[in-house]
Amino acid sequence: VNGKYTVYNVTSKVQFDVKFAVAVSNNSVSVSTVTTFPGSEIVIPIEMSNVEEITAFQFDLYMPEGITIPTDDEGEFMIAIDGERKTSSHIITAAEQEDGAIRVIAYSSSNKPFRGTEGALVNITAIVPESMSIGEYQMTMKDIRLADTSEREYITEELTSTINVTFMKGDVNKDFTVSIGDVVALVNHI
């Protein structure tokens, strides 16, 4: 889609014509259903399949109520570009928006494209509290935009994924593994 938008500067009464282009392509972003347990830390991979050389992206992430994205020692959200796709010049940043979304933006300071054409692009760490009820929870990504090295912008569809919170059969002591410790916990309970 190509277009032209006219902007008027009221103060100086000057007219500016701004050209823009939004391309339609076969680039796509996806996220699979994640299964986890109450009281766990998970990593949610966001995948990209790209035909063009994508150098930057952004999206707004809406997490289900109760599931949070932790921050590191510097207060930055624990969201990282996957090491296989990242170049040394790629930078990622995330900030909470007024509506509660976390806006994620990544770009290359030297306009280098992400490596490869398939696979995980971003890894999001999330915390599922122990008090979380068993069930399915929706995570949504909106306003997903990709940009290539030619400054073309690609807008992809809104995504909704499921975080399935369940219990682990046989995990009597609730350490998220089934082991001999569960046998001991069961014997102690009897």
Side-chain angles (χ1 to χ4, degrees):
V1 177
N2 288 314
K4 184 173 144 182
Y5 184 73
T6 303
V7 178
Y8 297 95
N9 183 325
V10 178
T11 307
S12 62
K13 298 181 181 173
V14 176
Q15 174 181 330
F16 300 94
D17 289 328
V18 180
K19 293 182 181 179
F20 65 91
V22 176
V24 178
S25 76
N26 292 322
N27 301 310
S28 64
V29 176
S30 63
V31 59
S32 298
T33 297
V34 177
T35 299
T36 188
F37 312 101
S40 64
E41 178 177 297
I42 57 174
V43 175
I44 304 167
I46 308 297
E47 301 203 355
M48 179 175 71
S49 174
N50 54 295
V51 175
E52 281 76 29
E53 290 189 315
I54 301 299
T55 187
F57 65 83
Q58 81 172 50
F59 58 84
D60 289 347
L61 178 64
Y62 296 83
M63 294 300 290
E65 188 173 334
I67 298 177
T68 58
I69 299 174
T71 56
D72 62 18
D73 294 340
E74 297 177 0
E76 300 292 329
F77 286 108
M78 293 179 65
I79 300 173
I81 301 172
D82 188 85
E84 297 291 318
R85 306 284 310 258
K86 181 181 180 181
T87 69
S88 61
S89 69
H90 278 103
I91 300 163
I92 191 164
T93 184
E96 189 166 357
Q97 305 300 296
E98 287 183 16
D99 66 355
I102 297 174
R103 177 158 299 152
V104 178
I105 299 173
Y107 61 95
S108 167
S109 59
S110 59
N111 211 27
K112 290 184 180 174
F114 290 101
R115 292 185 177 131
T117 59
E118 293 281 334
L121 180 62
V122 177
N123 293 310
I124 299 170
T125 300
I127 302 291
V128 180
E130 284 192 38
S131 60
M132 196 84 183
S133 298
I134 303 301
E136 293 184 349
Y137 299 89
Q138 302 302 307
M139 177 183 83
T140 304
M141 292 172 58
K142 295 181 180 181
D143 196 24
I144 305 166
R145 297 170 182 263
L146 311 172
D148 68 16
T149 55
S150 302
E151 302 174 20
R152 281 184 300 229
E153 190 172 307
Y154 306 93
I155 299 174
T156 68
E157 294 182 18
E158 179 178 304
L159 291 176
T160 300
S161 180
T162 301
I163 298 175
N164 183 20
V165 180
T166 188
F167 63 93
M168 183 182 287
K169 293 179 183 178
D171 184 19
V172 178
N173 63 4
K174 297 183 182 178
D175 65 355
F176 307 109
T177 60
V178 177
S179 65
I180 193 67
D182 296 301
V183 174
V184 172
L186 181 61
V187 169
N188 286 338
H189 182 73
I190 296 174

